[in-house]
Amino acid sequence: MPLSERDNKILDELIRNPGITSMALEQKYSLTRRQLGYSINKINDWLMSKNLPSIERTRQGHFVIDQSVFTKLDVKDESAPMETAVLTGQQRMQMIIMMLLSSKEELSLNHFTIELDVSKNTVLNDLKDAQTFLNDYDLTIRYSRKFGYLLEGKEFQIRKLLIKITYQILSLHDGERRLKELTRIDAREIAEYNGRIENVENKLNLQFTDEKLATMPYILILILRRIKKGYAINIFSIEYEELSNTKEYQATEEIFRDAEQIPMEERLFITLHLLTTNVYRTEFPTEEDVIPNLMPVIDDMLRLFEKSACIYLQERNQLLDKLLQHLKPAYYRIKYQLSETISLQGSLSTEFKELHHLVKRSIGPLADLIGSSIPDSEVTYITMLIGGWMKRQGESIEKKIKAIVVCPQGVSVSRLMFNELNELFPEFVFLDSLSVREFLNYSFDYDIVFAPTHLETNKKLFIAKAFLGREDKQRLRKQVMLELHGYLPQDLNVDELMEIIRNHATINNEGALAEDLQQYVNRDDDSSVYQRPSKKSINLDDLLTPETILLKNNVVSWEEAVRMGAAPLVESGVITADYVEAMLHYSEEDPYIVIGPNMAIPHASPEDGVNQVGISLLKLDEGVTFSSDYSIHLIIVISAVDKEQHLHALMQLMELAGSEHDRNRLISAGSVDEMYTIIQSYSSD
């Protein structure tokens, strides 16, 4: 969000005169303490978007400003300066759109040329730019001789546009005067609505932000103007029960207490407008102010991020409160499609781009609560909040080893390999699991690569099997640690660690800390490489049942084996016939579906025709030839609806595949019941 004229003045003053106090700033610019605090918050958000440290205030009212802020902003930053008197093309475009949104009369080309004081050709070019901008809103500028220039499209989209353009114009230098002239809004109308809003603050114990106080009267007046002209909001799924018990709904009712002609849909839309921005603070948040389950979801999301980024966030509760303050309005923006579609990634530093990637991977709990995917602009803002918090505590993923997993063996095996390596090396940041093709075009920076086959790379490459047994894990961990650090974790000396900690921190209980460090350093290999899932998982015998196990003496081809093995899942509706064709297609290109001697798992992507998670098994007494290298006796067909549900069962299957004894028992089994007994022995939690 751009800085307002007032914000720019304060930032400029702080850069030129960093010794100035809060009280002196308030007096110089005739500000209340609240107004100054709001501007400092806006400036800090802007600095965060530039990857610069926030400005801090001491209890004595002095400001602490990092040297990098002076260095970066000493030369005028193009995005920070105050607007000049001459309008840019983008600003003229905003003015034209506001005229189309608010005019009480038919608009001709002359209206635009007179208002903007430019030529007709300039206006025509600006109208083309405006149409390009409006394409994102599915809106069109139409011209007719009878009605002049009009804006056409769904009213819901027009309202979104109206709110955005009002904010943009008010953020310009002298924007309030320009907006009044464009819309012909009377100063008495503004004063009337300001009085109503102030009354709402007092009556409902709300405190609107300065930004909202400045924009709300204009937005409400312009919405009412459109309602009176007959432009009704499109019927859309605003949930009355969800919005009607909020303070924002009470505020809407209070503001329009004498306007009976406003339909319920309109009142709900205005309520939604208040809910979708950080429009108020309450001194004492009540239960109804909090969206059910939002705080636990934010907590889950943050824990996933901490695990992915291999960090521990300090003062975590304060960060949770900051995220809650942002995500409450974001919840309504996302749910009712009011988020901006424009990506903010261009303003992210290299490190923040990697953080953005990790945040995006951790955002699942929030998406599940809202019932919708999270727009990238919202993810970007969450990234800025978390990234700024990390920077404040001196934390950075730049110093951590970043790893990727490259696996050509399909979605399920690739995901399994990623999870196992993530557990084996909890101190690494694992960025992604990639196919070979994705690896060749990968854009993020990384330090090491794990893959089951050789790859052309100038980074450290470690060859790892798709399925790692206990000895494989021990061997790989030792190899990687020796290569990267020249030591093994077991070689660490607890006394030396304690001495280092004493030099940098106050230890409340040295005995307990030493004991915990001793247990960690000397832990069993198993504890460092494997963690059982904390939630109830689907076991192998839940999916691979007697009904999905087939025994056959022989088949004539690999294609017949796949079709026959998939038959139980097709017949039960778990997968479609298209999924079978996709498996056959992928197996032609992918010899890595062979996961062990005599054993293969053909599979495809969920979008190829999966209705639900499932596994089937075809056992052949006489193996079928798959390429010139393999004779396959066990064909396991896997259908995965996502990247998670089937993983626990797949890990159990991989454990079975790693046992030569039990794999041979399956091949020589004479009945379905005998095979199922073996499968059950690998299916306990």
Side-chain angles (χ1 to χ4, degrees):
M1 181 177 290
L3 297 179
S4 67
E5 181 178 351
R6 185 180 79 194
D7 302 333
N8 273 304
K9 284 180 179 178
I10 292 170
L11 178 58
D12 189 54
E13 183 70 42
L14 287 170
I15 297 299
R16 288 187 293 102
N17 183 16
I20 194 169
T21 64
S22 295
M23 186 176 294
L25 267 178
E26 290 165 13
Q27 291 173 349
K28 182 168 184 175
Y29 294 105
S30 302
L31 301 173
T32 64
R33 182 182 298 179
R34 170 185 163 193
Q35 287 172 327
L36 178 60
Y38 181 70
S39 281
I40 295 297
N41 287 337
K42 285 279 296 298
I43 290 167
N44 281 337
D45 285 343
W46 183 83
L47 288 172
M48 188 188 300
S49 74
K50 301 295 178 187
N51 198 23
L52 290 170
S54 300
I55 295 172
E56 297 182 12
R57 273 196 290 182
T58 68
R59 291 184 178 180
Q60 292 74 34
H62 294 283
F63 295 92
V64 180
I65 307 175
D66 192 275
Q67 182 60 44
S68 60
V69 175
F70 293 103
T71 304
K72 182 75 180 287
L73 301 184
D74 188 44
V75 178
K76 284 290 184 183
D77 189 302
E78 292 181 1
S79 56
M82 293 168 53
E83 307 293 343
T84 61
V86 178
L87 294 174
T88 66
Q90 183 178 10
Q91 290 162 357
R92 291 196 306 272
M93 177 192 76
Q94 293 165 358
M95 302 289 186
I96 287 172
I97 291 174
M98 179 52 74
M99 291 175 69
L100 292 167
L101 287 165
S102 63
S103 179
K104 295 180 179 180
E105 58 185 344
E106 291 79 18
L107 293 171
S108 67
L109 204 58
N110 285 335
H111 284 89
F112 297 126
T113 58
I114 293 169
E115 191 69 52
L116 300 175
D117 194 23
V118 291
S119 69
K120 289 186 177 180
N121 282 338
T122 299
V123 169
L124 289 172
N125 285 328
D126 290 340
L127 282 166
K128 289 179 183 177
D129 292 338
Q131 182 57 65
T132 301
F133 177 81
L134 293 173
N135 288 339
D136 285 337
Y137 292 84
D138 294 322
L139 299 174
T140 306
I141 299 173
R142 300 283 185 206
Y143 174 78
S144 71
R145 291 190 177 185
K146 184 176 181 181
F147 299 108
Y149 285 92
L150 295 170
L151 202 56
E152 292 186 349
K154 292 183 178 179
E155 184 65 16
F156 183 76
Q157 294 295 100
I158 290 175
R159 299 290 179 83
K160 285 173 61 176
L161 177 67
L162 185 152
I163 293 167
K164 181 179 179 65
I165 295 296
T166 303
Y167 275 102
Q168 287 181 336
I169 293 178
L170 283 173
S171 69
L172 300 178
H173 175 58
D174 205 20
E176 189 170 6
R177 179 189 62 80
R178 292 180 185 277
L179 186 60
K180 285 179 180 176
E181 290 180 358
L182 282 174
T183 58
R184 309 291 190 263
I185 291 177
D186 193 283
R188 288 173 297 178
E189 287 183 277
I190 299 294
E192 166 68 19
Y193 276 93
N194 276 328
R196 294 190 181 201
I197 293 164
E198 185 178 344
N199 180 53
V200 164
E201 284 189 313
N202 296 330
K203 195 169 183 177
L204 298 179
N205 190 31
L206 297 177
Q207 191 179 66
F208 292 99
T209 64
D210 286 4
E211 184 179 54
K212 187 51 60 181
L213 282 172
T215 58
M216 200 189 307
Y218 292 98
I219 290 171
L220 295 176
I221 290 167
L222 292 174
I223 286 176
L224 282 175
R225 187 179 290 181
R226 291 193 66 83
I227 293 171
K228 289 175 182 176
K229 288 183 72 174
Y231 295 113
I233 194 75
N234 309 96
I235 300 300
F236 67 112
S237 57
I238 298 181
E239 297 174 13
Y240 174 81
E241 294 78 9
E242 183 176 43
L243 305 189
S244 60
N245 63 350
T246 63
K247 282 192 174 183
E248 287 83 354
Y249 183 80
Q250 295 175 55
T252 301
E253 291 291 278
E254 186 67 27
I255 291 169
F256 295 123
R257 63 185 182 276
D258 55 357
E260 296 179 3
Q261 75 276 21
I262 300 178
M264 179 58 67
E265 290 86 356
E266 297 290 355
R267 294 172 187 267
L268 288 174
F269 178 81
I270 293 167
T271 300
L272 192 58
H273 163 57
L274 299 184
L275 281 163
T276 52
T277 49
N278 294 313
V279 296
Y280 72 86
R281 305 180 184 100
T282 52
E283 294 297 324
F284 305 102
T286 59
E287 256 185 56
E288 58 265 27
D289 289 329
V290 181
I291 298 164
N293 299 318
L294 181 57
M295 183 57 98
V297 158
I298 297 173
D299 186 54
D300 289 346
M301 182 182 79
L302 209 52
R303 290 190 190 283
L304 286 173
F305 171 78
E306 287 176 304
K307 183 178 179 182
S308 294
C310 301
I311 62 167
Y312 173 75
L313 291 164
Q314 300 168 14
E315 299 174 331
R316 201 169 179 279
N317 287 337
Q318 292 182 35
L319 177 56
L320 283 171
D321 289 339
K322 195 174 182 69
L323 286 168
L324 178 65
Q325 184 181 348
H326 170 72
L327 286 174
K328 180 188 173 184
Y331 171 91
Y332 294 103
R333 280 198 300 270
I334 298 164
K335 183 167 184 175
Y336 294 105
Q337 295 86 50
L338 288 170
S339 281
E340 286 301 321
T341 56
I342 300 170
S343 174
L344 303 174
Q345 278 202 62
S347 62
L348 294 175
S349 67
T350 302
E351 181 179 0
F352 268 35
K353 285 180 180 177
E354 292 170 356
L355 281 178
H356 178 272
H357 182 66
L358 296 176
V359 169
K360 202 166 188 175
R361 274 189 22 210
S362 309
I363 210 80
L366 182 63
D368 291 341
L369 177 68
I370 299 175
S372 173
S373 59
I374 310 300
D376 205 60
S377 56
E378 299 286 357
V379 179
T380 298
Y381 194 82
I382 296 169
T383 301
M384 289 179 177
L385 287 174
I386 295 175
W389 200 265
M390 287 173 58
K391 198 154 193 172
R392 196 180 79 171
Q393 71 181 47
E395 187 70 73
S396 171
I397 67 167
E398 285 297 296
K399 302 171 186 175
K400 299 183 183 297
I401 292 172
K402 293 181 283 296
I404 59 172
V405 178
V406 180
C407 180
Q409 295 178 245
V411 175
S412 297
V413 178
S414 174
R415 189 66 186 172
L416 176 68
M417 187 176 177
F418 181 88
N419 285 354
E420 289 212 321
L421 288 169
N422 204 355
E423 296 290 351
L424 183 58
F425 297 98
E427 57 273 87
F428 295 174
V429 176
F430 278 83
L431 293 172
D432 269 308
S433 174
L434 309 167
S435 68
V436 175
R437 184 179 300 175
E438 289 169 332
F439 167 68
L440 295 174
N441 299 296
Y442 195 59
S443 59
F444 294 111
D445 188 34
Y446 56 91
D447 303 300
I448 60 175
V449 186
F450 292 97
T453 186
H454 183 76
L455 299 168
E456 289 295 330
T457 176
N458 58 359
K459 300 296 176 73
K460 290 186 182 296
L461 172 67
F462 295 97
I463 303 298
K465 296 177 182 177
F467 172 69
L468 295 167
R470 177 177 173 176
E471 291 183 2
D472 296 324
K473 291 176 181 178
Q474 294 173 354
R475 186 164 47 249
L476 180 62
R477 183 167 175 85
K478 288 178 182 178
Q479 177 195 353
V480 172
M481 289 304 182
L482 283 170
E483 176 73 20
L484 295 179
H485 304 299
Y487 67 86
L488 298 178
Q490 288 83 354
D491 296 334
L492 296 173
N493 185 287
V494 171
D495 292 335
E496 292 176 0
L497 287 175
M498 288 292 294
E499 187 61 34
I500 293 170
I501 294 169
R502 283 192 201 98
N503 291 336
H504 297 279
T506 301
I507 305 174
N508 295 325
N509 188 332
E510 289 202 10
L513 177 59
E515 184 179 343
D516 286 348
L517 285 173
Q518 195 73 44
Q519 288 179 1
Y520 178 75
V521 169
N522 298 313
R523 67 196 186 280
D524 292 337
D525 284 329
D526 278 353
S527 65
S528 68
V529 300
Y530 181 73
Q531 293 179 1
R532 292 194 177 275
S534 58
K535 61 181 181 180
K536 176 67 177 175
S537 301
I538 302 174
N539 285 316
L540 181 60
D541 62 353
D542 294 327
L543 298 176
L544 190 50
T545 64
E547 289 74 26
T548 60
I549 299 173
L550 299 173
L551 280 69
K552 184 78 174 175
N553 184 40
N554 58 61
V555 292
V556 297
S557 66
W558 170 253
E559 180 179 339
E560 184 185 355
V562 173
R563 293 188 187 282
M564 186 176 294
L569 300 183
V570 175
E571 291 168 6
S572 61
V574 171
I575 60 175
T576 67
D578 289 341
Y579 187 78
V580 181
E581 299 305 319
M583 283 193 297
L584 289 168
H585 173 70
Y586 292 139
S587 64
E588 290 176 5
E589 305 174 344
D590 184 7
Y592 299 99
I593 63 172
V594 178
I595 61 170
N598 313 112
M599 200 168 185
I601 53 169
H603 57 281
S605 300
E607 57 270 20
D608 290 322
V610 175
N611 296 320
Q612 63 188 73
V613 63
I615 302 179
S616 61
L617 167 60
L618 171 65
K619 195 267 285 191
L620 298 171
D621 294 333
E622 298 176 14
V624 62
T625 300
F626 177 74
S627 80
S628 58
D629 301 319
Y630 302 105
S631 178
I632 305 299
H633 290 266
L634 300 170
I635 296 98
I636 300 102
V637 174
I638 295 178
S639 66
V641 292
D642 55 34
K643 294 181 178 180
E644 304 293 340
Q645 260 191 68
H646 67 298
L647 280 184
H648 187 55
L650 183 58
M651 289 176 72
Q652 293 170 341
L653 177 64
M654 291 298 197
E655 190 178 353
L656 194 163
S659 168
E660 182 180 1
H661 173 70
D662 287 329
R663 191 174 62 245
N664 289 334
R665 283 178 62 205
L666 271 183
I667 294 172
S668 61
S671 69
V672 169
D673 288 342
E674 188 179 347
M675 294 179 69
Y676 189 59
T677 299
I678 299 169
I679 289 163
Q680 285 180 308
S681 68
Y682 283 85
S683 300
S684 58
D685 286 322

